[in-house]
Amino acid sequence: GGLSFPGVGTDGSGHRFLRQRGHTLQEPYPALTPLVGPHPGGASLAGLSLYNVDMHVKQPGSKKASRAARTSMLFTHKGYSGPAVLDLSHHVTKALQKGAGRPQGQAALPSLRVNWTAEPRELWEERLQAGGAALVSTVLRRHGVRERLADALCAELGLEQRKLSQLRGPERVALLDALVSYALQAQGSEGYKKAEVTGGGVHLSEVNCSTLESRVLPGVHLCGEVLDVFGRIGGFNFYWAWVS
């Protein structure tokens, strides 16, 4: 009934059928789908996997962040994927679908940020203030930043071939921000073609949640992706499909 993976025949017919017969739908959107955007420093990091990141997303004007439950991500040829990204991608796809992705609406996009090693800022600050003759990129690699990513971050900040002892105060602050709160510039998503589930659907207020019988169409029971239910990555959507 949803729209995910159209290659296997999904076409949203369940949504259309129920809308035509009086149900109200939260507008469907692709969820658990890879995001499209540039890599740090304009580099091509496709194929690079990271296994211990801390990623969160924050809506414009909100103080509360939603944190990914998983800690791994993958740079793809088009942008970003992996469990941490998929966990949070629906925040971005919903905003883009509402038109926030247009140039005049960029400020309305959620802020998607990543701490590349999931370590506190204070620890990195201590490491960077230690000084020394080692190159900045070498220090990053020494403390768990993958080589290609370390080089890309240094390139973005203009710190290639710079020694730790040569860092000026503002440069150190910018590097700290890039290490523990890097803003991923998501510009789109790979949509329903790669989405593991469809978000949106019939409002739960329009079904009896004990039996899933429609309150609009008595005798008709709804299940799966036609309802406004989806879970984070990790088998929860299979579980919902089976229990509903």
Side-chain angles (χ1 to χ4, degrees):
L3 291 158
S4 306
F5 287 115
V8 299
T10 58
D11 61 3
S13 55
H15 290 144
R16 291 194 298 274
F17 175 86
L18 293 167
R19 196 195 299 267
Q20 290 167 359
R21 283 154 182 80
H23 268 293
T24 304
L25 269 69
Q26 168 68 40
E27 199 60 37
Y29 55 88
L32 304 186
T33 189
L35 297 175
V36 174
H39 297 169
S44 177
L45 301 178
L48 179 62
S49 295
L50 306 176
Y51 300 102
N52 192 36
V53 304
D54 179 16
M55 188 176 295
H56 71 268
V57 65
K58 188 181 293 185
Q59 299 293 340
S62 173
K63 294 182 179 179
K64 185 178 180 180
S66 297
R67 186 159 262 101
R70 305 292 284 274
T71 61
S72 56
M73 68 169 290
L74 168 71
F75 286 103
T76 68
H77 289 286
K78 296 181 179 180
Y80 336 105
S81 188
V85 174
L86 299 184
D87 250 0
L88 300 178
S89 65
H90 65 282
H91 294 280
V92 177
T93 59
K94 286 176 71 174
L96 289 167
Q97 186 159 298
K98 290 177 181 177
R102 293 193 296 267
Q104 64 269 29
Q106 283 296 319
L109 279 176
S111 173
L112 183 63
R113 293 183 176 270
V114 58
N115 179 328
W116 300 113
T117 62
E119 294 176 309
R121 185 184 185 94
E122 294 76 16
L123 180 56
W124 273 111
E125 190 167 15
E126 181 180 325
R127 290 166 178 166
L128 298 182
Q129 287 181 336
L135 294 176
V136 173
S137 58
T138 300
V139 174
L140 300 191
R141 294 196 296 269
R142 184 181 298 159
H143 293 289
V145 181
R146 299 290 296 275
E147 180 176 357
R148 290 166 62 196
L149 177 58
D151 290 343
L153 292 174
C154 287
E156 182 168 308
L157 298 172
L159 301 177
E160 310 103 307
Q161 303 305 312
R162 292 286 295 282
K163 296 178 181 179
L164 204 59
S165 60
Q166 297 173 326
L167 283 180
R168 296 186 291 271
E171 293 173 327
R172 187 180 296 109
V173 171
L175 180 56
L176 282 168
D177 290 341
L179 288 167
V180 303
S181 187
Y182 187 90
L184 293 176
Q185 303 297 323
Q187 299 170 347
S189 80
E190 295 198 43
Y192 290 113
K193 185 177 180 180
K194 293 289 185 69
E196 296 190 11
V197 67
T198 302
V202 173
H203 286 281
L204 295 183
S205 62
E206 297 185 359
V207 298
N208 181 328
C209 288
S210 297
T211 64
L212 298 186
E213 181 180 10
S214 167
R215 299 185 189 276
V216 176
L217 302 168
V220 175
H221 292 73
L222 312 184
C223 68
E225 291 195 356
V226 297
L227 290 166
D228 186 15
V229 175
F230 84 89
R232 62 179 175 84
I233 195 168
F236 297 98
N237 295 291
F238 283 123
Y239 179 75
W240 167 245
W242 294 324
V243 299
S244 66

